[in-house]
Amino acid sequence: MSSLSSPVPESAGVGPEYKKHPGARILHGPHRTIGGVEAWLIWSLCTVFVIWLFAIQTGYAVVSPDIQRTASLTVVQISLAGSVYTWAFALCQFFSGALLDRFGSRPLMAVAVAFVTAGAFLYAQTTSMGTLVAAQIVLAIGSSFGFVGAGYIGGQWFPAARYGLMFGLVQTLASLGSAFGQPAISWQLGQMTWQQLLNGFGALGVLLIVLFVLLVRNPTPGPEQLRGTTATARPPLLAGIFTSLGRCFSNRNVVLSAALAGVSFGSMLAMGVLWGPRLMQARGADASLAAVLTAVSWLGLAVGAPLFNLLSDHWHNRRVPAIVGVLLQAVAISVLIYLPKETNSVSMVAMFAVGLFAGAHMLGFTVAGESVPGALVGSAAAIVNGVCFIVGGVLQAVPGKLLPENPVLSDYGGALVIMPILLLVGAAAGFFIKETAQPG
């Protein structure tokens, strides 16, 4: 564990301001039992938020053709709007964790839900490129608190030993939502207009805002939540955020675990969303089978995310399962890239394996969270998640620049080899991670 000291987060409710204002206890509400009923209720609500916002994100691929026609936009504009979301999300991600560390989940998670809700309603009103870009930015701001926020809740409301498992369960449910989200949204679009669908997402968001305001509290921290912290005066907001990020980036384990997780999840995202189906189509598969590959990869991740944390806890070792998982993911992607034609069944198994072994990236969150003081867990998780999406965006864009205008199967071998190479680099980074698991 890190020996660095840090100010107790405001969410802890034990700082000088808290002692001066006893009424804050009523506002924030102390926990009843770490890992008890209230903990599961708040964690479940935050996980529902993640699934909901993932459905909105996934739905963009389904509703974008309708938005394009209604708003008289071009394919380039639709693609640009999607890129705006990705980069806005990545930028906001680095700040969301630090803000959670400073203020806690009670105010910020409700505000995040409000941003995503506003973004959904903006989507429904899209009549121009400006409205669409505004919706993407508003959505990105709120979404940046989703996955990291649910992980932060797991770290605050449950024993530290269960942090990785709780984070893995969030990824499992989010992956299942991604696997089944697009078919469900496609079916719904046959029953209603895209505007009605997005307004429905917004209406659900209003309900979630009410539930977050009423139910989400910041726990009074126990010894595990306060590890490595001291009750010292905190710096101003902006300086405090950059101080938290700086301390995390200066921690070798955080940087290395972010690199390992980034290439693992980034490769999974690029193969599952874009290049896997393109490879299948280059082998002669029809569009429907290629689309199934996306669901198969997410199902694999749904299994792998908690599995690697369970294996890690069982063996009391973080490094070895993470390194082995990333290496096996490199093998699975290589099989996908260099398979000959007419191997649909093997491709399906390989895509599932890509998602399954990508579950090793969740150990990056576990290692980062165990390598910093309790008051920096949110910042560490945000850095790892931000790197994951940045690498994912790069691995979707770079191979496209290397491919000819009308690529054939052999062209993909040279363009996509960057993925197994980066996975080998990520596995190499894992060898330099300092083990954080406690001996059995």
Side-chain angles (χ1 to χ4, degrees):
M1 301 296 179
S2 173
S3 61
L4 292 173
S5 63
S6 67
V8 178
E10 187 171 306
S11 60
V14 295
E17 297 86 355
Y18 185 87
K19 293 176 180 178
K20 291 179 182 178
H21 303 286
R25 182 179 295 275
I26 299 174
L27 173 63
H28 293 287
H31 71 78
R32 291 160 180 79
T33 306
I34 289 290
V37 173
E38 186 179 17
W40 280 102
L41 175 64
I42 294 173
W43 178 86
S44 298
L45 187 59
C46 289
T47 303
V48 169
F49 171 41
V50 174
I51 296 171
W52 170 68
L53 70 87
F54 266 51
I56 297 175
Q57 293 170 348
T58 303
Y60 182 71
V62 180
V63 303
S64 58
D66 295 322
I67 294 177
Q68 180 182 337
R69 286 191 296 270
T70 303
S72 300
L73 301 176
T74 65
V75 174
V76 173
Q77 288 175 310
I78 290 292
S79 176
L80 177 61
S83 299
V84 167
Y85 174 87
T86 301
W87 294 111
F89 176 89
L91 176 63
C92 295
Q93 184 70 95
F94 289 109
F95 295 94
S96 62
L99 288 169
L100 282 166
D101 285 333
R102 186 176 180 100
F103 295 112
S105 55
R106 174 169 171 77
L108 287 180
M109 293 305 291
V111 172
V113 177
F115 268 95
V116 178
T117 301
F121 282 129
L122 269 175
Y123 256 143
Q125 307 304 315
T126 297
T127 56
S128 66
M129 182 63 175
T131 308
L132 182 58
V133 169
Q136 295 281 34
I137 293 174
V138 173
L139 270 173
I141 293 172
S143 297
S144 68
F145 289 87
F147 187 67
V148 167
Y152 174 86
I153 291 292
Q156 294 296 309
W157 277 95
F158 292 89
R162 293 169 65 182
Y163 172 72
L165 177 60
M166 299 308 296
F167 222 153
L169 290 175
V170 174
Q171 180 64 76
T172 292
L173 294 172
S175 298
L176 289 174
S178 296
F180 298 109
Q182 283 195 8
I185 291 172
S186 296
W187 176 82
Q188 288 173 326
L189 283 176
Q191 317 300 315
M192 63 184 71
T193 67
W194 66 271
Q195 292 97 334
Q196 290 172 328
L197 176 64
L198 291 172
N199 280 323
F201 276 120
L204 178 58
V206 173
L207 174 61
L208 285 175
I209 293 171
V210 174
L211 292 175
F212 268 77
V213 170
L214 293 177
L215 299 176
V216 174
R217 294 291 185 272
N218 295 322
T220 301
E224 290 174 321
Q225 283 69 33
L226 285 177
R227 74 179 153 81
T229 65
T230 58
T232 59
R234 294 175 304 156
L237 176 59
L238 195 58
I241 291 173
F242 283 106
T243 297
S244 296
L245 289 173
R247 292 176 63 190
C248 287
F249 274 115
S250 66
N251 185 301
R252 184 184 72 180
N253 262 21
V254 173
V255 174
L256 292 174
S257 61
L260 183 146
V263 297
S264 178
F265 181 79
S267 297
M268 152 65 202
L269 191 65
M271 289 300 295
V273 173
L274 180 60
W275 298 119
R278 294 290 179 91
L279 277 168
M280 286 295 288
Q281 289 175 323
R283 291 193 176 96
D286 59 29
S288 60
L289 178 58
V292 169
L293 280 176
T294 300
V296 168
S297 63
W298 287 110
L299 288 174
L301 183 57
V303 175
L307 177 62
F308 274 90
N309 272 297
L310 287 171
L311 292 174
S312 173
D313 290 340
H314 178 72
W315 291 326
H316 305 289
N317 191 292
R318 309 292 187 221
R319 294 169 64 248
V320 173
I323 293 169
V324 171
V326 171
L327 290 174
L328 289 174
Q329 188 182 356
V331 172
I333 289 180
S334 297
V335 169
L336 268 175
I337 295 173
Y338 298 110
L339 269 177
K341 291 186 177 181
E342 307 301 332
T343 51
N344 291 346
S345 59
V346 178
S347 294
M348 295 287 283
V349 174
M351 278 299 289
F352 182 85
V354 169
L356 176 69
F357 297 127
H361 89 276
M362 291 305 302
L363 291 176
F365 291 97
T366 306
V367 169
E370 292 174 344
S371 301
V372 297
L376 296 177
V377 167
S379 299
I383 287 172
V384 174
N385 203 44
V387 171
C388 285
F389 276 89
I390 289 173
V391 175
V394 170
L395 290 180
Q396 290 182 67
V398 171
K401 300 293 185 182
L402 302 177
L403 288 168
E405 186 174 348
N406 297 302
V408 296
L409 183 58
S410 59
D411 294 322
Y412 286 100
L416 299 182
V417 71
I418 185 177
M419 292 186 197
I421 290 175
L422 282 179
L423 286 166
L424 292 177
V425 173
F431 283 101
F432 297 95
I433 291 175
K434 183 179 179 181
E435 183 58 63
T436 60
Q438 297 299 309

